[in-house]
Amino acid sequence: MGAGHGHALYVHEHSFVHRMPPEAKLVAALGMVVCVAVTPREAVWAFGIYAAVIVALTRVARIKPGFVAVRLLAVAPFILFAFFIPFIASGETTEVLWFTVSIEGLWGTWNILVKALLGASVSILLTATTEIPDIIRGLSILRVPSLFISITTFMIRYLELIADELGRMRVAMASRGYDPRWIFQARPIASSAGALFVRSYERGERVHAAMLARGFTGEMPAPDTEPVDRSQWVGVVLLVGAFAVTAIVALVIT
């Protein structure tokens, strides 16, 4: 994966957030997500603070709200499931519109909804300001196990290859007049998926054999690193510290 390789989640800008070292952004993102996860669901004010900080960082990074909103659709299945909880949970009930729902279930829905949206927003902000090769490099600088880095690198690369291959197969099918619209037309799609799996597996074997022939030992080459400005780490510490203080206060008073 070359340094110039882009991806669909990245937004090319020149903001302060974009210029921060990837390892600093990874630490900040992890700290923010952990603080959001441990915050009690009843501390609504704390989630408001988290959301305000994330929105401010998004504006500083010059990322459009629509860009984030569209990519938040990835957590839609979890949110959809959460809306069923008030109807199936037990305990004290209350009336909401024309429905009788569980109060505990409502809190459960709120807990899943707010934490999923905030956590996903942090991830979107990270990937929108950091290219994939830089994220991999940041993980290496943070001394993440090399096996995990290798698996992550190849997984991302092969997901892109498989998506491109699937796109070419769909174009080939459409050029031959195949335009499926009904469930009984799904058999060719299933056959194509099987062929795609076999071709991807064979390509992986060929690539692995070529890497071994070139002396690959199971570890990715060590990236070139540049010293991180101390002020950048101070900013990360202040950001994560603010989230941590908010989470601790929420745990104490809730």
Side-chain angles (χ1 to χ4, degrees):
M1 297 175 63
H5 184 75
H7 60 96
L9 291 177
Y10 182 72
V11 177
H12 184 75
E13 285 288 351
H14 302 282
S15 69
F16 168 76
V17 182
H18 283 76
R19 292 192 298 269
M20 286 188 64
E23 60 271 27
K25 286 188 277 189
L26 285 167
V27 172
L30 177 62
M32 293 164 69
V33 170
V34 169
C35 291
V36 170
V38 301
T39 301
R41 61 190 184 184
E42 295 83 4
V44 179
W45 60 271
F47 295 114
I49 294 176
Y50 298 150
V53 173
I54 294 172
V55 169
L57 289 174
T58 302
R59 292 182 63 85
V60 170
R62 302 170 189 169
I63 300 174
K64 297 180 179 179
F67 179 90
V68 178
V70 169
R71 281 146 186 83
L72 282 176
L73 292 176
V75 299
F78 303 97
I79 296 175
L80 181 62
F81 168 77
F83 279 107
F84 288 100
I85 296 179
F87 299 97
I88 61 178
S90 58
E92 187 178 353
T93 61
T94 186
E95 295 289 335
V96 176
L97 298 178
W98 303 278
F99 304 99
T100 301
V101 294
S102 167
I103 295 178
E104 183 68 19
L106 288 174
W107 278 116
T109 298
W110 160 254
N111 190 48
I112 295 175
L113 178 65
V114 69
K115 292 183 179 181
L117 291 177
L118 290 177
S121 297
V122 173
S123 300
I124 292 170
L125 179 61
L126 172 64
T127 54
T129 58
T130 316
E131 294 202 66
I132 293 296
D134 292 331
I135 293 178
I136 300 300
R137 180 170 62 87
L139 292 173
S140 179
I141 294 173
L142 294 173
R143 300 294 188 270
V144 174
S146 58
L147 179 61
F148 177 82
I149 294 177
S150 298
I151 292 174
T152 303
T153 303
F154 289 121
M155 179 190 70
I156 293 172
R157 181 56 180 158
Y158 273 89
L159 283 175
E160 294 175 344
L161 287 175
I162 291 172
D164 291 341
E165 187 71 22
L166 179 61
R168 288 191 292 270
M169 293 176 68
R170 292 182 61 186
V171 170
M173 294 172 68
S175 65
R176 289 163 174 80
Y178 182 73
D179 186 19
R181 297 179 182 274
W182 306 100
I183 188 65
F184 63 83
Q185 296 176 300
R187 183 174 179 179
I189 300 295
S191 300
S192 301
L196 179 62
F197 173 78
V198 173
R199 293 171 65 177
S200 301
Y201 186 82
E202 291 176 346
R203 174 180 287 184
E205 287 187 326
R206 293 195 300 270
V207 171
H208 183 248
M211 293 175 67
L212 292 178
R214 289 164 174 78
F216 181 66
T217 60
E219 295 186 3
M220 301 300 292
D224 297 330
T225 60
E226 298 180 359
V228 180
D229 189 354
R230 183 176 300 178
S231 63
Q232 294 174 320
W233 280 114
V234 170
V236 171
V237 171
L238 291 175
L239 176 62
V240 177
F243 268 63
V245 169
T246 302
I248 292 172
V249 172
L251 286 168
V252 171
I253 68 176
T254 301

